[in-house]
Amino acid sequence: MAGNGPPPKPWERVGTSSGPAPFKPPSGGTTSDVVEASGTAKPGEVVSPAESNAGFSGNNTVSRPLPPRPWQQQQPGYGNSYGGYGATTYNSYGGFGGAYSSGAGGLYGNNMYSGYGGGYGGSYGGSGMYGGSMYNNGMGNPYGGMAMSPYNQGPNSFGPPAPPPGFWVSFLRVLHGAVNFSGRVAFLLSQNTQAFHMFITALLQLCDKSGMLYSELVIFALRLLGVKTKPKKGKLQGAEVPSLERPGQQFVEAPKANKNSWEKSGAGFTASQEKMGEITNMMEYQAIAKQKLPKMAYDYYASGAEDEWTLKENREAFSRILFRPRILIDVSTIDMTTSVLGLKISMPIMIAPTAFQKMAHPEGEYATARAAAAAGTAMTLSSWATSSVEEVASTGPGIRFFQLYVYKDRKVVEQLVRRAEKAGFKAIALTVDTPRLGRREADIKNRFVLPPNLTLKNFEGLDLGKMDQAADSGLASYVAGQIDRTLSWKDVKWLQTITTMPILVKGVITAEDARLAVHSGAAGIIVSNHGARQLDYVPATISALEEVVTAAQGRIPVFLDGGVRRGTDVFKALALGAAGVFIGRPVVFALAAEGEAGVRNILRMIREEFELTMALGGCTKLSDITRRHIFTEDDRLGRPLPRL
């Protein structure tokens, strides 16, 4: 034991100033006992109390030899006899247990502030390095190194540092909280998986928006642990920078598009587009339009009837149709051209009629007409346009249809149809689903009325161009007073007597009406639910399309209007038998955001998306797109997959 002694005690280290405090022996003892035990005096030598305490200052500075170590003691009971001298209040050496002392550092090692009470407990000593003091409940090893006191963190401790006071209580509280939280999360997961996923998604989005990407979180954690990480060289693409317009907000600066790449097609990026970042799909224009437009105008364009269930379903129904692409087909050349009513267009994507376009942009229908002509496709002008048929025709050549509401005064209708034909319009799109206006609650709340600087240009000289203020919706009052509720299938035949233009019946969603349209002599059918603005809870147009196509039996072309936002939507519609599609709201939102450039841009984007879908689906021309390329909800419910 003497050959392998323990590490030096704190007061044995060079430069250590901390030492024992003066003490007074109990009655019957003298300081000579301690001095004798330390080996600094001969046995029996008497040292006066003043001399024995002379080396102990108020700062516990050691200036004389220390008591003997346990391994220097020869007798097991020797430590106990001197352990009794640790009873003073500030004694740093309270109780020096002997080599085999089982006492807690001696009888008086339990003094109140003994810094090293029982510090020399022997092999079987019960006291630790700080054993026996008021703040030590130590359980010592041979040299007190494994004492478990809350403050036993001395330099000679062989074990881990003891936790601070109250650690275990706090630990149990934290553990209880963690278990409770885990239980609540487990309950939430079992009761509402969707809500749990929404919570996690929101949490991850919060991390993203605060600029902490996942890789950066790992780096951050490593730095907390003291692991050095090298910063990436150069500026990180897409780094978030603070917005000057809205304090506290952040935005991701998108890479600038190559302007020259689109100038050839006549669809260049505008300065405002560069400022807000590149638009990557037509749906992004809606958020921009919402910021730019007055609430009454935006709500008119964006809202649907009543609960707006059909408005949502028009989009969601597309998502339930899946692709069955073909592979290993040469798609180096894609041909998207088609003909509508004998008129050749660049793609099977046309512009639907939307009213009051000058509420969205000062150029209104002019800009839309020019953009459609530049894209080589058809535009449909609304009866309730804020530009007349003659004004739109003056913008230049182009394929244009005229959407018609039948008024009570048939002379007005007849005059309007003939004006459109004279202006070079190629077809009539007869709206048949509006004997009365649907209940559009947003318009009722906003008391919708056309702004005073705008009129229904096609009716301006007929005293029908103004819309009066009403108790609910000014448009609903206008329709109630002007639109003919007696409209029937015989009126389709009547229209054929006053014009040579082909007539498309717009608003068919059932097989029964499709057959009647064929029998009435219609040139084509537009499957439409009026943008979900008339009767709520009717099927989405893409859901009704196949039924109508089957009923038409190929005798007349069937087109789709409603919910189209992607090139994939166009492909799905054509796979279900449509001859082409119309887009409405995206045109108005793009017009509000960027005028003519916005309309050009959405036509370019949807064309490119459609071309890509054709290539990935294994189709090089429109006639290659068949029912076998998609898998619908009806197929999943029982109809077998198409066989080759």
Side-chain angles (χ1 to χ4, degrees):
M1 214 173 162
N4 296 313
K9 301 296 181 284
W11 51 84
E12 296 175 325
R13 297 183 178 181
V14 178
T16 302
S17 62
S18 177
F23 65 92
K24 179 180 180 180
S27 60
T30 65
T31 54
S32 63
D33 294 329
V34 179
V35 176
E36 182 178 287
S38 66
T40 59
K42 296 179 181 180
E45 181 180 356
V46 177
V47 182
S48 66
E51 182 181 353
S52 65
N53 289 328
F56 298 89
S57 67
N59 293 323
N60 296 335
T61 302
V62 178
S63 61
R64 62 184 299 163
L66 301 171
R69 306 294 188 274
W71 55 88
Q72 295 173 330
Q73 299 178 8
Q74 302 299 322
Q75 299 179 7
Y78 189 69
N80 279 340
S81 65
Y82 287 99
Y85 295 147
T88 58
T89 303
Y90 294 95
N91 179 18
S92 295
Y93 292 96
F96 301 130
Y100 294 93
S101 170
S102 59
L107 182 60
Y108 296 102
N110 294 321
N111 57 68
M112 183 175 296
Y113 294 97
S114 172
Y116 297 94
Y120 296 115
S123 297
Y124 298 96
S127 58
M129 184 172 181
Y130 295 92
S133 73
M134 177 179 178
Y135 295 98
N136 178 30
N137 297 317
M139 297 172 59
N141 69 353
Y143 305 111
M146 291 298 291
M148 299 301 292
S149 164
Y151 294 98
N152 182 23
Q153 300 183 27
N156 296 322
S157 173
F158 298 119
F167 169 80
W168 294 110
V169 175
S170 300
F171 174 77
L172 290 175
R173 286 176 177 171
V174 172
L175 183 62
H176 176 267
V179 171
N180 187 32
F181 175 76
S182 300
R184 290 175 180 271
V185 170
F187 176 78
L188 178 63
L189 179 60
S190 63
Q191 295 295 319
N192 195 333
T193 305
Q194 184 179 5
F196 179 76
H197 288 170
M198 290 173 64
F199 167 74
I200 296 300
T201 302
L203 189 62
L204 293 177
Q205 289 176 350
L206 180 62
C207 292
D208 282 341
K209 290 181 179 179
S210 63
M212 286 280 207
L213 299 176
Y214 308 119
S215 59
E216 295 176 10
L217 285 174
V218 174
I219 295 173
F220 179 70
L222 290 174
R223 287 178 180 172
L224 285 179
L225 295 174
V227 179
K228 293 183 179 180
T229 56
K230 294 182 179 180
K232 293 184 179 180
K233 295 182 179 180
K235 187 177 180 181
L236 191 65
Q237 185 177 4
E240 293 185 346
V241 295
S243 170
L244 298 178
E245 296 180 357
R246 296 187 178 185
Q249 269 200 341
Q250 292 182 327
F251 70 96
V252 177
E253 185 180 0
K256 298 295 187 295
N258 184 359
K259 218 172 181 182
N260 296 330
S261 61
W262 305 119
E263 284 179 351
K264 294 180 181 179
S265 64
F269 286 93
T270 65
S272 61
Q273 198 170 357
E274 289 180 355
K275 185 182 293 184
M276 70 176 110
E278 182 182 350
I279 301 297
T280 56
N281 64 75
M282 65 169 60
M283 290 171 285
E284 293 178 358
Y285 276 117
Q286 182 168 353
I288 301 171
K290 186 175 184 179
Q291 293 177 347
K292 284 193 166 188
L293 291 174
K295 185 178 186 301
M296 183 179 71
Y298 174 80
D299 286 351
Y300 171 77
Y301 294 133
S303 64
E306 296 182 351
D307 297 331
E308 298 186 338
W309 181 89
T310 300
L311 181 65
K312 301 180 186 72
E313 180 66 6
N314 270 355
R315 282 298 305 140
E316 292 175 359
F318 276 104
S319 66
R320 296 194 292 269
I321 301 174
L322 308 180
F323 289 119
R324 300 181 66 248
R326 302 301 306 279
I327 59 174
L328 294 178
I329 296 173
D330 181 2
V331 291
S332 56
T333 303
I334 303 293
D335 181 15
M336 293 180 289
T337 60
T338 187
S339 62
V340 175
L341 304 177
L343 304 168
K344 188 175 181 179
I345 56 177
S346 64
M347 55 184 174
I349 305 165
M350 297 165 282
I351 295 180
T354 50
F356 315 143
Q357 290 188 16
K358 284 189 178 179
M359 279 201 314
H361 190 275
E363 290 195 325
E365 292 84 3
Y366 302 154
T368 303
R370 289 193 295 263
T377 191
M379 172 215 179
T380 309
L381 183 70
S382 171
S383 285
W384 295 338
T386 45
S387 303
S388 68
V389 290
E390 293 83 8
E391 290 172 335
V392 171
S394 68
T395 61
I399 300 173
R400 300 181 183 106
F401 303 155
F402 181 71
Q403 177 269 329
L404 178 66
Y405 287 112
V406 177
Y407 278 59
K408 294 177 179 178
D409 188 345
R410 294 302 176 91
K411 290 182 180 179
V412 171
V413 176
E414 185 175 349
Q415 182 181 357
L416 191 56
V417 169
R418 288 175 178 167
R419 284 172 56 195
E421 187 171 5
K422 184 178 179 180
F425 283 71
K426 303 301 182 183
I428 295 292
L430 175 63
T431 296
V432 296
D433 58 4
T434 318
R436 296 178 60 179
L437 200 69
R439 184 177 176 82
R440 306 170 189 178
E441 295 178 358
D443 289 347
I444 295 172
K445 291 178 180 178
N446 294 329
R447 300 292 187 266
F448 176 81
V449 67
L450 200 60
N453 63 313
L454 298 177
T455 61
L456 304 179
K457 277 287 188 174
N458 287 316
F459 303 93
E460 196 172 38
L462 303 171
D463 294 329
L464 298 173
K466 284 291 184 181
M467 189 180 300
D468 298 328
Q469 190 78 38
D472 46 13
S473 166
L475 180 60
S477 299
Y478 182 86
V479 170
Q482 301 299 333
I483 300 302
D484 190 355
R485 299 184 186 182
T486 68
L487 187 67
S488 64
W489 287 108
K490 67 180 184 340
D491 293 308
V492 177
K493 295 184 178 293
W494 170 74
L495 277 175
Q496 296 173 40
T497 66
I498 65 173
T499 182
T500 59
M501 291 186 291
I503 298 171
L504 303 174
V505 179
K506 180 178 180 291
V508 176
I509 57 174
T510 64
E512 296 87 342
D513 287 335
R515 287 190 286 268
L516 289 172
V518 171
H519 291 308
S520 67
I525 293 172
I526 301 177
V527 177
S528 172
N529 52 33
H530 211 111
R533 295 156 70 81
Q534 283 299 102
L535 180 62
D536 201 12
Y537 295 98
V538 298
T541 52
I542 190 66
S543 301
L545 176 61
E546 192 168 24
E547 175 184 334
V548 174
V549 169
T550 302
Q553 298 178 338
R555 298 172 64 180
I556 57 176
V558 177
F559 304 94
L560 178 83
D561 170 39
V564 176
R565 299 292 184 272
R566 289 281 193 182
T568 52
D569 299 337
V570 180
F571 189 99
K572 292 172 183 179
L574 268 59
L576 287 170
V581 301
F582 289 86
I583 55 174
R585 282 188 177 93
V587 171
V588 179
F589 293 143
L591 185 67
E594 296 184 309
E596 181 182 339
V599 180
R600 289 190 181 211
N601 197 33
I602 64 164
L603 291 173
R604 176 190 62 83
M605 286 190 293
I606 196 169
R607 176 190 174 91
E608 291 177 352
E609 290 177 4
F610 179 53
E611 183 180 16
L612 177 62
T613 307
M614 287 183 65
L616 296 179
C619 302
T620 61
K621 54 186 181 296
L622 299 185
S623 59
D624 291 341
I625 303 174
T626 67
R627 182 64 171 76
R628 295 186 177 93
H629 284 93
I630 60 170
F631 189 57
T632 67
E633 196 171 27
D634 290 338
D635 299 329
R636 290 192 290 274
L637 293 175
R639 187 161 56 187
L641 283 171
R643 295 188 179 183
L644 296 177

